[in-house]
Coordinates of all heavy atoms in Angstrom, one line a residue:
D1 N 12.0 -1.1 18.1 CA 11.4 -0.1 19.0 C 10.0 0.2 18.7 O 9.3 0.8 19.6 CB 12.3 1.2 19.0 CG 12.2 1.9 17.6 OD1 11.9 1.2 16.6 OD2 12.4 3.1 17.6
K2 N 9.4 -0.3 17.6 CA 8.0 -0.1 17.3 C 7.5 -1.1 16.3 O 8.3 -1.7 15.6 CB 7.7 1.3 16.8 CG 8.4 1.6 15.4 CD 8.2 3.0 15.0 CE 9.0 3.3 13.7 NZ 8.8 4.6 13.3
F3 N 6.2 -1.3 16.3 CA 5.5 -2.1 15.3 C 4.9 -1.2 14.3 O 4.4 -0.1 14.7 CB 4.4 -2.9 15.9 CG 4.8 -4.0 16.9 CD1 4.6 -3.8 18.2 CD2 5.4 -5.1 16.4 CE1 5.0 -4.8 19.1 CE2 5.8 -6.1 17.3 CZ 5.6 -5.9 18.7
V4 N 5.0 -1.5 13.0 CA 4.3 -0.7 12.0 C 3.3 -1.6 11.3 O 3.6 -2.7 10.8 CB 5.3 -0.2 10.9 CG1 4.6 0.6 9.8 CG2 6.4 0.7 11.6
L5 N 2.0 -1.2 11.4 CA 0.9 -2.0 10.8 C 0.3 -1.2 9.6 O 0.0 -0.1 9.8 CB -0.1 -2.2 11.9 CG -1.4 -2.9 11.5 CD1 -1.0 -4.4 11.3 CD2 -2.4 -2.8 12.6
T6 N 0.2 -1.9 8.5 CA -0.3 -1.3 7.3 C -1.6 -2.1 6.9 O -1.5 -3.3 6.8 CB 0.7 -1.3 6.2 OG1 1.9 -0.7 6.6 CG2 0.2 -0.6 4.9
A7 N -2.7 -1.4 6.6 CA -3.9 -2.0 6.2 C -4.5 -1.3 5.0 O -4.5 0.0 5.0 CB -4.9 -2.1 7.3
D8 N -5.0 -2.0 4.0 CA -5.7 -1.4 2.9 C -7.2 -1.3 3.2 O -7.8 -2.3 3.5 CB -5.5 -2.2 1.6 CG -4.1 -2.2 1.1 OD1 -3.3 -1.3 1.4 OD2 -3.7 -3.2 0.4
I9 N -7.7 -0.1 3.2 CA -9.1 0.1 3.5 C -9.7 0.9 2.4 O -9.9 2.1 2.6 CB -9.3 0.7 4.9 CG1 -8.6 -0.1 6.0 CG2 -10.8 0.7 5.2 CD1 -8.7 0.5 7.4
P10 N -10.0 0.3 1.2 CA -10.4 1.2 0.1 C -11.8 1.7 0.3 O -12.7 1.1 0.9 CB -10.4 0.1 -1.1 CG -10.5 -1.2 -0.4 CD -9.9 -1.1 0.9
G11 N -12.0 2.9 -0.2 CA -13.3 3.6 -0.2 C -13.7 4.2 1.1 O -14.7 4.7 1.3
M12 N -12.7 4.2 2.1 CA -13.0 4.8 3.4 C -12.3 6.1 3.5 O -11.2 6.3 3.0 CB -12.5 3.9 4.5 CG -13.3 2.5 4.6 SD -14.9 2.8 5.2 CE -15.5 1.1 5.0
E13 N -12.9 7.0 4.3 CA -12.2 8.3 4.6 C -11.6 8.1 6.0 O -12.1 7.3 6.8 CB -13.2 9.4 4.6 CG -13.8 9.7 3.3 CD -12.8 10.1 2.2 OE1 -11.9 10.9 2.6 OE2 -13.0 9.8 1.0
K14 N -10.7 8.9 6.4 CA -10.0 8.8 7.7 C -11.0 9.0 8.9 O -10.8 8.5 9.9 CB -8.8 9.6 7.8 CG -8.9 11.1 7.6 CD -7.6 11.7 7.7 CE -7.5 13.1 7.0 NZ -6.2 13.7 6.9
D15 N -12.0 9.8 8.7 CA -12.9 10.1 9.8 C -13.9 8.9 10.0 O -14.7 8.9 10.9 CB -13.7 11.4 9.6 CG -14.5 11.4 8.3 OD1 -14.2 10.7 7.4 OD2 -15.5 12.1 8.3
E16 N -13.9 7.9 9.1 CA -14.8 6.7 9.2 C -14.0 5.5 9.8 O -14.6 4.5 10.0 CB -15.3 6.3 7.8 CG -16.1 7.3 7.1 CD -16.4 7.0 5.7 OE1 -15.6 6.4 5.0 OE2 -17.6 7.3 5.3
V17 N -12.7 5.7 10.2 CA -11.9 4.7 10.7 C -11.7 4.9 12.2 O -11.4 6.0 12.7 CB -10.6 4.6 10.0 CG1 -9.7 3.5 10.6 CG2 -10.8 4.3 8.5
D18 N -11.9 3.8 13.0 CA -11.7 3.9 14.5 C -10.6 2.9 14.8 O -10.6 1.8 14.4 CB -12.9 3.5 15.3 CG -14.0 4.6 15.1 OD1 -13.6 5.8 15.2 OD2 -15.2 4.3 15.0
I19 N -9.7 3.3 15.7 CA -8.6 2.5 16.2 C -8.5 2.5 17.7 O -8.5 3.6 18.3 CB -7.2 3.0 15.6 CG1 -7.2 3.0 14.1 CG2 -6.1 2.1 16.1 CD1 -6.1 3.7 13.5
N20 N -8.5 1.3 18.3 CA -8.4 1.2 19.8 C -7.3 0.3 20.1 O -7.1 -0.8 19.5 CB -9.7 0.6 20.3 CG -10.9 1.5 20.1 OD1 -10.9 2.7 20.4 ND2 -12.0 1.0 19.6
V21 N -6.4 0.8 21.0 CA -5.3 0.0 21.5 C -5.3 -0.1 23.0 O -5.5 0.9 23.7 CB -3.9 0.7 21.0 CG1 -2.7 0.0 21.5 CG2 -3.9 0.9 19.5
L22 N -5.1 -1.3 23.5 CA -5.0 -1.6 24.9 C -4.0 -2.6 25.1 O -4.1 -3.8 24.6 CB -6.4 -2.0 25.5 CG -6.4 -2.3 27.0 CD1 -6.0 -1.0 27.7 CD2 -7.7 -2.8 27.4
N23 N -2.9 -2.3 25.8 CA -1.7 -3.2 26.1 C -1.2 -3.7 24.8 O -0.6 -3.0 24.0 CB -2.1 -4.2 27.1 CG -2.5 -3.7 28.4 OD1 -1.9 -2.6 28.8 ND2 -3.4 -4.3 29.1
S24 N -1.4 -5.0 24.5 CA -0.9 -5.6 23.3 C -2.0 -6.0 22.3 O -1.8 -6.8 21.4 CB -0.1 -6.9 23.6 OG -0.9 -7.8 24.3
D25 N -3.2 -5.4 22.4 CA -4.3 -5.7 21.5 C -4.6 -4.4 20.7 O -4.6 -3.3 21.3 CB -5.5 -6.2 22.3 CG -5.3 -7.5 22.9 OD1 -4.6 -8.3 22.4 OD2 -5.9 -7.7 24.0
I26 N -4.9 -4.6 19.5 CA -5.4 -3.5 18.6 C -6.6 -3.9 17.9 O -6.7 -5.0 17.4 CB -4.2 -3.0 17.7 CG1 -4.7 -1.8 16.8 CG2 -3.8 -4.1 16.8 CD1 -3.6 -1.1 16.1
E27 N -7.6 -2.9 17.8 CA -8.8 -3.1 17.1 C -8.9 -2.0 16.0 O -8.8 -0.9 16.3 CB -10.0 -3.1 18.0 CG -10.2 -4.2 18.9 CD -11.4 -4.1 19.8 OE1 -12.0 -3.0 19.9 OE2 -11.8 -5.1 20.4
I28 N -9.2 -2.4 14.8 CA -9.4 -1.5 13.7 C -10.8 -1.7 13.1 O -11.1 -2.9 12.8 CB -8.3 -1.7 12.6 CG1 -6.9 -1.6 13.1 CG2 -8.6 -0.7 11.4 CD1 -5.9 -2.0 12.2
S29 N -11.6 -0.7 13.1 CA -12.9 -0.8 12.5 C -13.2 0.4 11.6 O -12.7 1.5 11.9 CB -14.0 -0.9 13.6 OG -14.0 0.2 14.4
A30 N -14.0 0.2 10.6 CA -14.4 1.2 9.7 C -15.8 1.0 9.2 O -16.2 -0.2 9.0 CB -13.4 1.3 8.5
E31 N -16.5 2.1 9.0 CA -17.9 1.9 8.5 C -18.2 3.0 7.5 O -17.9 4.2 7.8 CB -18.9 2.0 9.7 CG -20.3 1.7 9.3 CD -21.2 1.6 10.5 OE1 -20.7 1.8 11.7 OE2 -22.3 1.2 10.4
H32 N -18.8 2.7 6.4 CA -19.1 3.6 5.3 C -20.6 3.4 4.8 O -20.9 2.2 4.5 CB -18.2 3.5 4.2 CG -18.4 4.4 3.0 ND1 -18.2 5.8 3.1 CD2 -19.0 4.2 1.8 CE1 -18.5 6.3 1.9 NE2 -19.0 5.4 1.1
K33 N -21.4 4.4 4.9 CA -22.8 4.3 4.4 C -22.9 5.3 3.2 O -22.4 6.4 3.3 CB -23.8 4.6 5.5 CG -23.8 3.7 6.6 CD -24.8 4.0 7.6 CE -24.8 3.1 8.8 NZ -25.8 3.4 9.8
E34 N -23.6 4.9 2.2 CA -23.9 5.7 1.0 C -25.3 5.5 0.5 O -25.7 4.4 0.5 CB -22.8 5.4 0.0 CG -22.8 6.4 -1.2 CD -21.7 6.0 -2.1 OE1 -20.6 5.6 -1.7 OE2 -21.8 6.3 -3.3
A35 N -25.9 6.6 0.1 CA -27.3 6.5 -0.5 C -27.3 7.4 -1.7 O -26.8 8.5 -1.7 CB -28.3 6.9 0.5
K36 N -27.9 6.8 -2.8 CA -28.0 7.5 -4.0 C -29.5 7.5 -4.5 O -30.2 6.4 -4.3 CB -27.2 6.9 -5.1 CG -25.7 7.0 -4.9 CD -25.0 6.4 -6.1 CE -23.5 6.4 -5.8 NZ -22.7 5.7 -6.9
E37 N -30.0 8.5 -5.1 CA -31.3 8.5 -5.6 C -31.3 9.2 -7.0 O -30.7 10.2 -7.2 CB -32.3 9.3 -4.7 CG -33.7 9.3 -5.1 CD -34.6 10.0 -4.1 OE1 -34.4 9.8 -2.9 OE2 -35.5 10.7 -4.6
E38 N -32.0 8.5 -7.9 CA -32.0 9.0 -9.3 C -33.5 9.0 -9.7 O -34.2 8.0 -9.6 CB -31.3 8.0 -10.2 CG -31.3 8.4 -11.6 CD -30.5 7.4 -12.5 OE1 -29.7 6.7 -12.0 OE2 -30.8 7.3 -13.7
K39 N -33.9 10.2 -10.1 CA -35.3 10.4 -10.5 C -35.4 10.6 -12.0 O -34.7 11.5 -12.5 CB -35.9 11.6 -9.8 CG -36.1 11.4 -8.3 CD -36.8 12.6 -7.6 CE -36.9 12.4 -6.1 NZ -37.6 13.5 -5.5
E40 N -36.2 9.8 -12.6 CA -36.4 10.0 -14.1 C -37.9 10.2 -14.3 O -38.7 10.2 -13.4 CB -35.9 8.7 -14.8 CG -34.4 8.5 -14.8 CD -33.6 9.5 -15.6 OE1 -34.1 9.9 -16.6 OE2 -32.5 9.8 -15.2
K41 N -38.2 10.3 -15.5 CA -39.6 10.6 -15.9 C -40.6 9.5 -15.4 O -41.6 9.8 -14.9 CB -39.7 10.8 -17.4 CG -41.1 11.2 -17.9 CD -41.0 11.4 -19.4 CE -42.4 11.7 -20.0 NZ -42.3 11.8 -21.4
D42 N -40.2 8.3 -15.6 CA -41.1 7.1 -15.4 C -40.7 6.3 -14.1 O -41.4 5.4 -13.8 CB -41.1 6.2 -16.6 CG -41.7 6.8 -17.8 OD1 -42.5 7.8 -17.7 OD2 -41.3 6.4 -18.9
F43 N -39.6 6.7 -13.5 CA -39.2 5.8 -12.3 C -38.3 6.6 -11.4 O -37.8 7.7 -11.7 CB -38.5 4.6 -12.8 CG -37.1 4.8 -13.4 CD1 -36.0 4.9 -12.6 CD2 -37.0 5.1 -14.8 CE1 -34.7 5.1 -13.2 CE2 -35.8 5.3 -15.4 CZ -34.7 5.3 -14.6
I44 N -38.2 6.1 -10.2 CA -37.2 6.6 -9.2 C -36.4 5.4 -8.7 O -37.0 4.3 -8.3 CB -38.0 7.2 -7.9 CG1 -38.8 8.4 -8.4 CG2 -37.0 7.5 -6.9 CD1 -39.7 8.9 -7.3
R45 N -35.1 5.5 -8.8 CA -34.2 4.4 -8.3 C -33.4 4.9 -7.1 O -32.8 6.0 -7.1 CB -33.2 4.1 -9.4 CG -32.3 3.0 -9.0 CD -31.4 2.4 -10.1 NE -30.6 3.5 -10.7 CZ -29.9 3.3 -11.8 NH1 -29.9 2.1 -12.3 NH2 -29.3 4.3 -12.3
K46 N -33.5 4.1 -6.1 CA -32.7 4.4 -4.8 C -31.8 3.3 -4.6 O -32.2 2.1 -4.6 CB -33.7 4.6 -3.6 CG -34.6 5.8 -3.7 CD -35.5 5.8 -2.5 CE -36.4 7.0 -2.6 NZ -37.2 7.2 -1.4
E47 N -30.5 3.6 -4.3 CA -29.5 2.6 -4.0 C -28.9 3.0 -2.7 O -28.5 4.1 -2.4 CB -28.4 2.6 -5.1 CG -28.9 2.0 -6.4 CD -27.7 2.0 -7.4 OE1 -26.6 1.8 -7.0 OE2 -28.0 2.1 -8.6
R48 N -28.7 2.0 -1.8 CA -28.0 2.2 -0.5 C -27.0 1.1 -0.4 O -27.2 0.0 -0.7 CB -29.0 2.1 0.6 CG -30.0 3.3 0.7 CD -30.9 3.1 1.8 NE -32.0 2.2 1.3 CZ -33.1 1.9 1.9 NH1 -33.3 2.5 3.1 NH2 -33.9 1.1 1.4
S49 N -25.8 1.5 0.1 CA -24.8 0.6 0.4 C -24.2 0.8 1.8 O -24.2 2.0 2.3 CB -23.6 0.7 -0.6 OG -23.0 1.9 -0.5
H50 N -23.8 -0.2 2.4 CA -23.3 -0.2 3.8 C -22.1 -1.1 3.8 O -22.2 -2.3 3.6 CB -24.4 -0.6 4.8 CG -24.0 -0.5 6.2 ND1 -24.6 0.4 7.0 CD2 -23.0 -1.1 6.9 CE1 -24.0 0.3 8.2 NE2 -23.1 -0.6 8.2
V51 N -20.9 -0.6 4.1 CA -19.7 -1.4 4.2 C -19.1 -1.2 5.6 O -19.0 -0.1 6.1 CB -18.7 -1.0 3.1 CG1 -17.4 -1.8 3.2 CG2 -19.3 -1.0 1.8
R52 N -18.7 -2.4 6.2 CA -18.1 -2.3 7.5 C -16.9 -3.3 7.5 O -17.0 -4.4 7.1 CB -19.2 -2.8 8.5 CG -18.6 -2.7 10.0 CD -19.7 -3.2 10.9 NE -20.8 -2.3 10.9 CZ -21.9 -2.5 11.5 NH1 -22.1 -3.7 12.2 NH2 -22.9 -1.7 11.5
Y53 N -15.8 -2.8 8.1 CA -14.6 -3.6 8.3 C -14.3 -3.7 9.8 O -14.6 -2.7 10.5 CB -13.4 -2.9 7.6 CG -13.4 -2.8 6.1 CD1 -13.8 -1.7 5.5 CD2 -13.1 -3.9 5.3 CE1 -13.8 -1.6 4.1 CE2 -13.1 -3.8 4.0 CZ -13.5 -2.7 3.4 OH -13.5 -2.6 2.0
Y54 N -13.8 -4.8 10.2 CA -13.4 -5.0 11.6 C -12.2 -6.0 11.6 O -12.3 -7.0 11.0 CB -14.5 -5.5 12.5 CG -14.1 -5.7 13.9 CD1 -14.0 -4.7 14.8 CD2 -13.7 -7.0 14.3 CE1 -13.5 -4.9 16.1 CE2 -13.3 -7.3 15.6 CZ -13.2 -6.2 16.5 OH -12.8 -6.4 17.8
R55 N -11.2 -5.6 12.4 CA -10.1 -6.6 12.6 C -9.5 -6.3 13.9 O -9.3 -5.2 14.4 CB -9.0 -6.3 11.5 CG -7.8 -7.2 11.5 CD -8.2 -8.6 11.1 NE -7.1 -9.4 11.3 CZ -6.8 -10.4 10.5 NH1 -7.5 -10.7 9.5 NH2 -5.7 -11.2 10.7
S56 N -9.2 -7.4 14.6 CA -8.6 -7.4 16.0 C -7.3 -8.2 15.9 O -7.4 -9.3 15.5 CB -9.6 -7.9 17.0 OG -9.0 -7.9 18.3
L57 N -6.2 -7.6 16.4 CA -5.0 -8.3 16.4 C -4.3 -8.3 17.8 O -4.5 -7.3 18.5 CB -4.0 -7.7 15.4 CG -4.4 -7.7 14.0 CD1 -3.5 -6.7 13.2 CD2 -4.4 -9.0 13.4
T58 N -3.6 -9.3 18.2 CA -2.8 -9.3 19.4 C -1.4 -9.2 19.0 O -0.9 -10.0 18.2 CB -3.1 -10.6 20.2 OG1 -4.5 -10.7 20.5 CG2 -2.3 -10.6 21.5
L59 N -0.7 -8.2 19.5 CA 0.7 -8.0 19.2 C 1.6 -8.9 20.2 O 1.1 -9.1 21.3 CB 1.1 -6.6 19.3 CG 0.2 -5.6 18.4 CD1 0.5 -4.2 18.8 CD2 0.6 -5.9 17.0
P60 N 2.8 -9.2 19.8 CA 3.6 -10.1 20.7 C 4.1 -9.4 21.9 O 4.5 -10.0 22.9 CB 4.8 -10.5 19.8 CG 4.8 -9.6 18.6 CD 3.4 -9.0 18.5
E61 N 4.1 -8.0 21.9 CA 4.6 -7.3 23.1 C 3.6 -6.2 23.4 O 2.9 -5.7 22.5 CB 6.0 -6.7 22.8 CG 7.1 -7.6 22.6 CD 8.4 -6.9 22.2 OE1 8.6 -5.9 22.8 OE2 9.2 -7.5 21.5
E62 N 3.6 -5.7 24.6 CA 2.8 -4.5 24.9 C 3.3 -3.3 24.3 O 4.5 -3.1 24.1 CB 2.7 -4.4 26.5 CG 1.9 -5.4 27.1 CD 1.6 -5.1 28.6 OE1 1.9 -4.0 29.0 OE2 1.1 -6.0 29.3
T63 N 2.4 -2.4 24.0 CA 2.7 -1.1 23.3 C 2.3 0.1 24.2 O 1.6 -0.1 25.2 CB 2.0 -1.0 22.0 OG1 0.6 -1.0 22.2 CG2 2.4 -2.0 21.0
V64 N 2.9 1.2 23.9 CA 2.5 2.4 24.7 C 1.4 3.1 23.9 O 1.5 3.7 22.9 CB 3.7 3.4 24.7 CG1 3.4 4.6 25.5 CG2 5.0 2.7 25.3
S65 N 0.2 2.8 24.4 CA -1.0 3.3 23.7 C -1.2 4.8 23.6 O -1.7 5.3 22.6 CB -2.3 2.7 24.3 OG -2.4 3.1 25.6
S66 N -0.6 5.5 24.5 CA -0.7 7.0 24.4 C 0.2 7.6 23.3 O 0.1 8.7 23.0 CB -0.3 7.6 25.8 OG 1.1 7.3 26.1
K67 N 1.2 6.8 22.8 CA 2.1 7.3 21.7 C 1.8 6.7 20.4 O 2.7 6.8 19.5 CB 3.5 7.1 22.2 CG 3.9 7.9 23.4 CD 5.3 7.7 23.7 CE 5.7 8.5 25.0 NZ 7.1 8.4 25.3
V68 N 0.7 6.0 20.2 CA 0.4 5.4 18.9 C 0.0 6.5 17.9 O -0.7 7.4 18.2 CB -0.8 4.4 19.0 CG1 -1.3 3.9 17.7 CG2 -0.4 3.2 19.9
T69 N 0.5 6.4 16.7 CA 0.2 7.4 15.6 C -0.4 6.6 14.4 O 0.0 5.4 14.2 CB 1.4 8.2 15.2 OG1 2.4 7.3 14.7 CG2 2.0 9.0 16.3
A70 N -1.3 7.3 13.7 CA -1.9 6.6 12.5 C -2.1 7.7 11.5 O -2.4 8.9 11.8 CB -3.2 6.0 12.9
K71 N -1.9 7.3 10.2 CA -2.2 8.2 9.1 C -2.8 7.3 8.0 O -2.6 6.1 7.9 CB -0.9 8.9 8.6 CG 0.2 8.0 8.1 CD 1.4 8.8 7.7 CE 2.5 7.9 7.2 NZ 3.7 8.6 6.8
M72 N -3.6 8.0 7.2 CA -4.3 7.3 6.1 C -4.1 8.1 4.8 O -4.5 9.3 4.8 CB -5.8 7.1 6.4 CG -6.5 6.2 5.4 SD -8.0 5.6 6.2 CE -8.8 5.0 4.8
I73 N -3.6 7.5 3.8 CA -3.4 8.2 2.5 C -3.9 7.3 1.4 O -3.4 6.1 1.3 CB -1.9 8.5 2.3 CG1 -1.4 9.4 3.4 CG2 -1.7 9.2 0.9 CD1 0.1 9.7 3.4
N74 N -4.8 7.7 0.6 CA -5.4 7.0 -0.5 C -5.8 5.6 -0.1 O -5.6 4.6 -0.8 CB -4.4 6.9 -1.7 CG -4.0 8.3 -2.2 OD1 -4.9 9.2 -2.3 ND2 -2.8 8.4 -2.7
G75 N -6.5 5.5 1.0 CA -7.1 4.2 1.4 C -6.1 3.2 2.0 O -6.5 2.1 2.3
I76 N -4.9 3.7 2.3 CA -3.9 2.9 3.0 C -3.7 3.4 4.4 O -3.2 4.6 4.5 CB -2.6 2.8 2.2 CG1 -2.8 2.2 0.8 CG2 -1.5 2.0 3.0 CD1 -1.7 2.2 -0.1
L77 N -4.0 2.6 5.4 CA -3.8 3.0 6.8 C -2.5 2.5 7.3 O -2.2 1.3 7.2 CB -5.0 2.4 7.6 CG -5.0 2.6 9.1 CD1 -5.2 4.1 9.4 CD2 -6.0 1.8 9.8
T78 N -1.7 3.4 7.9 CA -0.4 3.0 8.5 C -0.4 3.4 10.0 O -0.7 4.6 10.3 CB 0.7 3.8 7.8 OG1 0.7 3.5 6.4 CG2 2.1 3.3 8.3
I79 N -0.2 2.5 10.8 CA -0.2 2.7 12.3 C 1.1 2.3 12.8 O 1.7 1.3 12.5 CB -1.3 1.8 13.0 CG1 -2.7 2.0 12.3 CG2 -1.3 2.0 14.5 CD1 -3.7 1.0 12.7
E80 N 1.7 3.3 13.6 CA 3.0 3.0 14.3 C 2.7 2.9 15.8 O 2.1 3.7 16.4 CB 3.9 4.2 14.1 CG 4.4 4.2 12.6 CD 5.5 5.3 12.4 OE1 5.9 6.0 13.4 OE2 5.9 5.4 11.3
L81 N 3.1 1.7 16.3 CA 2.8 1.4 17.7 C 4.2 1.2 18.5 O 4.8 0.2 18.3 CB 2.1 0.0 17.8 CG 0.7 0.0 17.1 CD1 0.7 -1.1 16.1 CD2 -0.4 -0.1 18.1
P82 N 4.6 2.2 19.3 CA 5.8 2.0 20.0 C 5.8 0.9 21.1 O 4.8 0.8 21.7 CB 6.0 3.4 20.7 CG 5.0 4.3 20.1 CD 3.9 3.5 19.5
K83 N 6.8 0.2 21.1 CA 6.9 -0.9 22.1 C 7.2 -0.3 23.5 O 7.9 0.7 23.6 CB 8.0 -1.9 21.8 CG 7.8 -2.7 20.5 CD 9.0 -3.6 20.2 CE 8.8 -4.3 18.9 NZ 10.0 -5.1 18.6
K84 N 6.7 -1.0 24.5 CA 7.0 -0.6 25.9 C 8.5 -1.1 26.2 O 8.8 -2.1 25.8 CB 6.1 -1.3 26.9 CG 4.9 -0.5 27.2 CD 4.2 -1.1 28.4 CE 3.0 -0.3 28.7 NZ 2.2 -0.8 29.8
N85 N 9.2 -0.2 26.8 CA 10.6 -0.5 27.2 C 10.5 -1.4 28.4 O 9.8 -1.2 29.3 CB 11.4 0.7 27.5 CG 11.6 1.6 26.3 OD1 11.6 1.1 25.1 ND2 11.7 2.9 26.4
P86 N 11.3 -2.5 28.3 CA 11.3 -3.4 29.5 C 11.9 -2.6 30.7 O 12.9 -1.9 30.5 CB 12.1 -4.6 29.1 CG 12.9 -4.1 27.9 CD 12.1 -3.0 27.3
T87 N 11.3 -2.8 31.8 CA 11.9 -2.1 33.0 C 13.1 -2.9 33.5 O 13.1 -4.2 33.5 CB 10.9 -2.0 34.1 OG1 10.4 -3.3 34.4 CG2 9.7 -1.1 33.7
K88 N 14.1 -2.2 33.9 CA 15.3 -2.9 34.4 C 15.1 -3.3 35.9 O 14.6 -2.5 36.7 CB 16.5 -1.9 34.4 CG 16.9 -1.6 32.9 CD 18.1 -0.7 32.9 CE 18.5 -0.4 31.5 NZ 19.7 0.5 31.5
V89 N 15.4 -4.5 36.2 CA 15.3 -5.0 37.5 C 16.6 -4.7 38.3 O 17.7 -5.1 37.9 CB 15.0 -6.6 37.5 CG1 14.9 -7.1 38.9 CG2 13.8 -6.9 36.7
E90 N 16.4 -4.0 39.3 CA 17.6 -3.6 40.1 C 17.9 -4.7 41.1 O 17.1 -5.4 41.6 CB 17.3 -2.3 40.9 CG 17.2 -1.1 40.0 CD 16.9 0.2 40.8 OE1 17.2 0.1 42.0 OE2 16.6 1.2 40.2
E91 N 19.2 -4.9 41.3 CA 19.7 -5.9 42.2 C 19.4 -5.4 43.6 O 19.5 -4.2 43.9 CB 21.2 -6.1 42.1 CG 21.6 -6.7 40.8 CD 21.2 -8.1 40.7 OE1 21.2 -8.9 41.7 OE2 20.8 -8.5 39.6
P92 N 18.9 -6.3 44.5 CA 18.6 -5.8 45.9 C 19.9 -5.4 46.6 O 21.0 -5.9 46.4 CB 18.1 -7.1 46.5 CG 18.4 -8.2 45.6 CD 18.7 -7.7 44.3
A93 N 19.8 -4.3 47.3 CA 20.9 -3.7 48.0 C 21.0 -4.3 49.4 O 19.9 -4.4 50.1 CB 20.8 -2.2 48.0
Q94 N 22.2 -4.7 49.8 CA 22.3 -5.2 51.2 C 22.5 -4.0 52.1 O 23.3 -3.1 51.9 CB 23.5 -6.1 51.3 CG 23.2 -7.5 50.8 CD 24.3 -8.5 51.1 OE1 25.4 -8.1 51.3 NE2 24.0 -9.7 51.1
I95 N 21.7 -4.0 53.2 CA 21.8 -2.9 54.1 C 22.3 -3.5 55.4 O 21.7 -4.5 55.9 CB 20.5 -2.2 54.3 CG1 20.0 -1.7 53.0 CG2 20.5 -1.2 55.4 CD1 18.6 -1.2 53.0
K96 N 23.3 -2.9 56.0 CA 23.9 -3.4 57.3 C 23.1 -2.8 58.4 O 22.9 -1.6 58.4 CB 25.4 -3.1 57.4 CG 26.2 -3.9 56.4 CD 27.6 -3.7 56.6 CE 28.4 -4.5 55.6 NZ 29.9 -4.3 55.7
V97 N 22.7 -3.6 59.4 CA 22.0 -3.0 60.5 C 23.1 -2.6 61.5 O 24.0 -3.3 61.9 CB 21.2 -4.1 61.2 CG1 20.5 -3.6 62.4 CG2 20.2 -4.7 60.2
Q98 N 22.9 -1.4 62.0 CA 23.9 -0.8 62.9 C 23.4 -0.8 64.3 O 22.3 -0.6 64.7 CB 24.3 0.6 62.5 CG 25.0 0.5 61.2 CD 25.5 1.9 60.7 OE1 25.3 2.9 61.4 NE2 26.1 2.0 59.6

């Protein structure tokens, strides 16, 4: 009844992760920027880091994008994607002309 997707995204906070779902496609992206500055008597050291993750997957079935849930605990992202229920095809009804 649903797909469960788990991804390790170490060093990221949940507000740095973006998830987009459309029909049977899902995109996961994350971006983290950090800058440090250390001032000493004879020098100044500046370090900057920039980390970006991106992954796009196609699922075997369409999902209900309005009901997708995601949670992130200790750098582990878990996404639950409910599958679309197949619509039942009704048999055509015969109507007698009077």
Side-chain angles (χ1 to χ4, degrees):
D1 64 336
K2 65 182 172 183
F3 295 106
V4 178
L5 180 69
T6 304
D8 292 338
I9 309 178
M12 296 288 175
E13 298 295 326
K14 57 182 158 185
D15 61 333
E16 298 172 324
V17 176
D18 290 320
I19 302 167
N20 295 311
V21 179
L22 180 62
N23 297 328
S24 60
D25 294 327
I26 181 168
E27 292 180 344
I28 303 168
S29 61
E31 187 172 5
H32 178 75
K33 294 180 182 181
E34 191 174 327
K36 295 180 185 179
E37 184 175 317
E38 183 181 334
K39 293 182 181 183
E40 292 291 327
K41 183 178 176 181
D42 298 331
F43 67 90
I44 297 175
R45 177 174 56 188
K46 293 181 181 182
E47 293 182 29
R48 289 178 280 189
S49 65
H50 185 115
V51 179
R52 183 181 294 169
Y53 294 101
Y54 176 81
R55 182 70 187 214
S56 176
L57 301 167
T58 301
L59 302 170
E61 296 179 33
E62 287 192 11
T63 58
V64 183
S65 59
S66 62
K67 295 185 180 180
V68 172
T69 60
K71 62 181 177 180
M72 188 160 164
I73 301 171
N74 296 329
I76 300 173
L77 176 67
T78 304
I79 304 169
E80 293 186 358
L81 303 124
K83 294 178 184 179
K84 270 191 178 175
N85 293 331
T87 55
K88 294 182 181 178
V89 178
E90 294 182 11
E91 293 292 321
Q94 281 190 337
I95 300 171
K96 293 184 180 180
V97 179
Q98 296 181 0

